[in-house]
């Protein structure tokens, strides 16, 4: 399915500013659809040769949550012309809202057509204040459930007509505030309509309930909402801020949304000016009781903090274990025992690195590049080699989940230690059967890339290579046994060790990144 921007750029002559305005309108028009009890279709004129009849392309569609839809099928991407778009032509050419006309039928569904021209307000045109019409909104109402409207429905429809006029004027939707999401309170969450003086002329039952949660038990109609909201707030500064936002909407401004707390309840408030034909007639205030949502958010934050604290304590405990092993290694005289303890210290320390990173993360995932760089640096610092060895990383591992990161860091730790110690053994190494490397300095390269939901990792060195009789599945080295067990078991991947064509050794690891 093509996006609004794709369709507009391919089939119309609209500019970037026009398309951005249509995007903002599509981000806020669920409000108009719900208040209208109608489907909204955004029609833009298709590019045409001079003299050809005008055709329209549907670039966006929204269905009401307050009434049945008039369209069972998606209309986006449909191009129409001729008598079918006569109402769109009138609204586009005469630059006015079209409401006349008899009901039409879509299959077995009767519907009423309306057409609303969409203007983009030109801030540089101080004389007229508007640019030309750039699109038309078709407002199509399903009439199959028509009945005498209730007070709620009458207020919804009146407010919808005011917003429709503002769309035609170019004053709706309001500008998007930086960092603000579009998950505003919906019509069904709670609606309050204010007159020009700021007094409530209508409050929906859900809006009444939201203010009751804040501590106001009387009826809202007749109350001055800004003063009432200020009185109810637990925090006076928060109350004054909420009050000022309602007043700014009455002045024709579009303030950002705000949450307000009182008596243990939290309510999200959004105030919109009502300016049909440029005349300020009041404001529309949408409210939503988000108490349970914020309670769950706080519970999740507490859980996240607890998990991070656990990772921090695990890291501390692992560092303590590493310190004890290091202390024990100093007291051991047998070279093999000392070496085994030192290797255990490195393995424990590499796992501690993962938990240290997780303790500073807000989720169970880590940026693995930093961990690899620290493990690689540690490998070159502790290993005894015949020549200086440099570590280098190519590509990026990206963010990895904790269950992959913990096993992968142990595998890489073993592979890096092996690459350094066995690729560039110290002069006193007993294995003199394989010639030493000819380069003046050694290099170990860790490369990583992602391909088809797999992580491909290669650890390559320019050292002395593997012995001719080397078999990875028949090795007695503990480090390589750990590598094979983790690579094929915990990581559910594969590992291959081989000599490089140009000399040296490379280990190729493939790890699936799908669901586990």
């Amino acid at each position: 399915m093509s996006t609004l921007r794709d369709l507009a750029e391919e089939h119309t002559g609209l500019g970037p500013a026009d398309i951005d305005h249509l995007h903002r309108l599509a981000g806020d028009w669920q409000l108009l659809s719900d208040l209208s009890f109608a489907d909204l279709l955004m029609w833009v004129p298709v590019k045409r040769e001079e003299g050809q009849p005008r055709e329209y392309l549907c670039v966006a569609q929204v269905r009401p949550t307050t009434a049945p839809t008039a369209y069972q099928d998606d209309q986006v991407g449909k191009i129409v012309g001729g008598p079918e778009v006569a109402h769109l032509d009138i609204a586009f050419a005469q630059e006015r809202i079209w409401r006349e006309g008899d009901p039409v039928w879509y299959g077995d569904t009767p519907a009423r057509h309306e057409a609303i021209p969409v203007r983009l307000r030109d801030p540089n045109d101080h004389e007229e204040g508007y640019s030309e019409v750039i699109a038309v909104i078709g407002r199509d109402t399903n009439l199959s459930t028509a009945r005498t409207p209730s007070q709620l429905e009458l207020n919804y429809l009146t407010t919808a007509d005011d917003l429709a006029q503002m769309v035609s004027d170019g004053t709706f939707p309001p500008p998007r505030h930086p960092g603000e999401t579009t998950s505003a309170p919906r019509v069904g969450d709670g609606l309050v309509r204010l007159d020009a003086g700021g007094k409530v002329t209508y409050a929906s039952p859900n809006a009444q309930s939201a203010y009751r949660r804040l501590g106001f038990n009387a009826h809202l109609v007749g109350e001055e909402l800004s003063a009432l909201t200020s009185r109810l707030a637990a925090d006076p500064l928060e109350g004054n801020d909420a009050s000022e936002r309602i007043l700014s909407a009455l002045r024709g401004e579009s303030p950002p949304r705000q949450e307000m707390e009182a008596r243990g309840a939290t309510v999200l408030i959004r105030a919109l000016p009502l300016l049909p034909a440029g005349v300020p007639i009041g404001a529309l205030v949408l409210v939503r009781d988000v108490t349970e949502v914020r309670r769950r958010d706080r519970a999740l934050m507490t859980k996240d903090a607890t998990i991070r604290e656990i990772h921090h304590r695990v890291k501390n405990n692992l560092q303590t274990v590493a310190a004890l092993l290091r202390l024990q290694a100093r007291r051991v005289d047998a070279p093999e025992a000392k070496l085994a303890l030192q290797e255990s210290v490195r393995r424990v320390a590499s796992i501690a690195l993962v938990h240290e990173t997780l303790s500073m993360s807000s989720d169970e995932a880590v940026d693995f590049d930093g961990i690899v760089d620290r493990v690689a640096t540690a490998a070159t610092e502790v290993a005894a080699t015949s020549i200086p060895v440099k570590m280098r990383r190519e590509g990026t591992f990206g963010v990895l989940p904790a269950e992959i990161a913990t096993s992968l860091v142990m595998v890489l730790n073993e592979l890096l230690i092996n690459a350094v110690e066995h690729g560039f053994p110290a002069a006193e190494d007993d294995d003199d059967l394989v010639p030493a490397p000819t380069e003046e300095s050694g290099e170990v390269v860790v490369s990583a890339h992602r391909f088809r939901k797999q992580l491909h990792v290669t650890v390559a060195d320019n050292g002395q290579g593997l012995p001719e009789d080397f078999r990875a599945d028949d090795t007695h080295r503990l480090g390589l046994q750990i590598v094979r067990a983790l690579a094929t078991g915990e990581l559910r991947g594969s590992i291959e060790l081989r000599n490089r064509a140009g000399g040296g050794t490379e280990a190729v690891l493939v790890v699936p990144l799908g669901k586990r």
Side-chain angles (χ1 to χ4, degrees):
M1 174 62 69
S2 299
T3 65
L4 186 159
R5 185 175 297 276
D6 293 337
L7 291 169
E9 289 178 346
E10 182 179 355
H11 297 283
T12 75
L14 296 177
D18 301 327
I19 297 174
D20 287 343
H21 181 72
L22 296 182
H23 260 295
R24 287 195 301 110
L25 178 56
D28 244 338
W29 69 346
Q30 184 70 59
L31 172 63
L32 178 57
S33 176
D34 290 344
L35 289 170
S36 302
F37 305 99
D39 293 76
L40 301 182
L41 280 69
M42 187 181 293
W43 298 97
V44 293
V46 178
K47 287 184 288 190
R48 57 175 179 150
E49 299 292 335
E50 188 173 349
Q52 287 186 339
R54 186 180 285 117
E55 293 183 320
Y56 293 87
L57 167 69
C58 181
V59 296
Q61 175 182 1
V62 64
R63 294 180 173 91
T65 62
T66 52
T69 179
Y71 299 97
Q72 297 301 321
D73 298 326
D74 196 359
Q75 302 297 303
V76 175
K78 182 179 179 181
I79 296 178
V80 295
E84 189 178 351
V85 297
H87 62 299
L88 302 180
D89 262 335
I90 293 173
F92 188 87
Q94 299 182 13
E95 301 186 0
R96 67 175 180 86
I97 296 176
W98 182 91
R99 290 193 176 94
E100 55 268 28
D102 297 326
V104 296
W105 289 82
Y106 295 109
D108 296 331
T109 304
R112 180 177 63 247
H113 271 331
E114 295 176 76
I116 306 165
V118 179
R119 284 191 182 91
L120 171 62
R121 176 179 285 273
D122 184 357
N124 299 316
D125 188 351
H126 301 293
E127 227 175 274
E128 296 294 334
Y130 307 111
S131 69
E132 61 182 356
V133 174
I134 59 175
V136 179
I137 289 180
R139 182 164 61 170
D140 301 334
T141 307
N142 185 332
L143 298 178
S144 60
T145 58
R147 63 183 188 278
T148 303
S150 64
Q151 185 185 12
L152 178 145
E153 291 169 330
L154 287 172
N155 277 279
Y156 276 19
L157 292 170
T158 300
T159 306
D161 286 343
D162 292 334
L163 292 181
Q165 184 61 52
M166 291 171 64
V167 170
S168 178
D169 298 338
T171 55
F172 185 87
R176 183 79 53 80
H177 295 279
E180 190 173 58
T181 65
T182 56
S183 59
R186 292 196 172 191
V187 170
D189 294 327
L191 177 145
V192 181
R193 182 171 175 126
L194 308 181
D195 62 18
K199 290 189 176 181
V200 177
T201 59
Y202 175 77
S204 71
N206 283 344
Q208 189 72 52
S209 297
Y211 268 85
R212 189 171 289 115
R213 292 291 301 275
L214 294 175
F216 184 72
N217 294 320
H219 205 281
L220 283 171
V221 173
E223 293 287 336
E224 189 176 337
L225 193 66
S226 61
L228 173 63
T229 303
S230 178
R231 292 198 308 269
L232 292 175
D235 182 348
L237 292 177
E238 192 177 75
N240 289 337
D241 195 14
S243 173
E244 178 55 35
R245 296 189 187 202
I246 294 172
L247 292 174
S248 67
L250 291 169
R251 294 192 296 267
E253 302 168 11
S254 300
R257 302 160 178 83
Q258 182 188 347
E259 288 186 5
M260 191 184 83
E261 294 186 7
R263 298 179 56 150
T266 306
V267 171
L268 177 63
I269 300 174
R270 183 190 187 190
L272 291 168
L274 293 177
L275 295 163
V279 179
I281 63 170
L284 176 66
V285 180
L286 300 172
V287 295
R288 181 186 179 191
D289 183 354
V290 294
T291 305
E292 286 303 308
V293 175
R294 293 297 166 257
R295 183 190 63 78
R296 288 194 295 268
D297 287 347
R298 286 191 287 269
L300 286 174
M301 291 176 63
T302 302
K303 180 182 177 182
D304 289 343
T306 302
I307 292 173
R308 288 198 297 271
E309 177 62 22
I310 290 172
H311 284 303
H312 180 71
R313 294 189 182 189
V314 170
K315 183 264 297 183
N316 287 344
N317 291 340
L318 289 171
Q319 288 179 336
T320 301
V321 171
L324 291 173
L325 291 172
R326 194 177 294 111
L327 182 63
Q328 187 66 40
R330 293 172 184 167
R331 295 172 176 266
V332 172
D333 295 327
E336 290 184 358
K338 185 183 290 290
L339 179 60
L341 288 170
Q342 289 173 345
E343 289 178 349
S344 297
V345 168
R346 290 196 294 269
R347 289 165 185 147
V348 172
S350 67
I351 300 174
L353 274 178
V354 175
H355 286 281
E356 180 182 6
T357 306
L358 287 169
S359 70
M360 296 181 288
S361 173
S362 60
D363 52 19
E364 288 291 286
V366 294
D367 186 351
F368 202 71
D369 289 343
I371 294 176
V372 173
D373 294 342
R374 292 174 65 178
V375 169
T377 301
T380 56
E381 289 176 349
V382 301
T385 60
S386 56
I387 57 175
V389 178
K390 297 179 181 178
M391 288 282 184
R392 182 162 56 87
R393 173 172 56 82
E394 293 181 349
T396 179
F397 287 81
V399 176
L400 296 176
E403 61 267 23
I404 292 179
T406 303
S407 299
L408 183 57
V409 74
M410 287 193 66
V411 170
L412 289 176
N413 179 66
E414 298 297 333
L415 292 176
L416 290 168
I417 291 294
N418 279 334
V420 175
E421 291 187 344
H422 297 286
F424 313 95
E428 64 269 23
D429 198 309
D430 294 334
D431 187 10
D432 296 326
L433 299 177
V434 182
T438 58
E439 278 84 353
E440 295 181 358
S441 64
E443 184 181 52
V444 178
V445 180
V446 181
S447 59
H449 70 277
R450 299 189 182 209
F451 179 69
R452 292 182 178 176
K453 295 185 179 180
Q454 291 181 327
L455 176 65
H456 294 252
V457 183
T458 303
V459 178
D461 65 70
N462 61 346
Q464 65 182 13
L466 297 170
E468 291 183 3
D469 59 348
F470 175 80
R471 291 181 58 191
D473 56 353
D474 194 30
T475 181
H476 297 293
R477 294 178 187 170
L478 177 61
L480 291 181
Q481 290 176 356
I482 291 174
V483 167
R484 286 184 59 80
L486 291 176
T488 59
E490 295 293 326
L491 295 175
R492 302 179 187 177
S494 63
I495 180 75
E496 180 184 0
L497 284 86
R498 63 198 180 200
N499 283 319
R500 297 174 65 196
T505 308
E506 66 179 4
V508 180
L509 174 67
V510 179
V511 180
L513 297 176
K515 293 183 179 180
R516 294 177 171 258

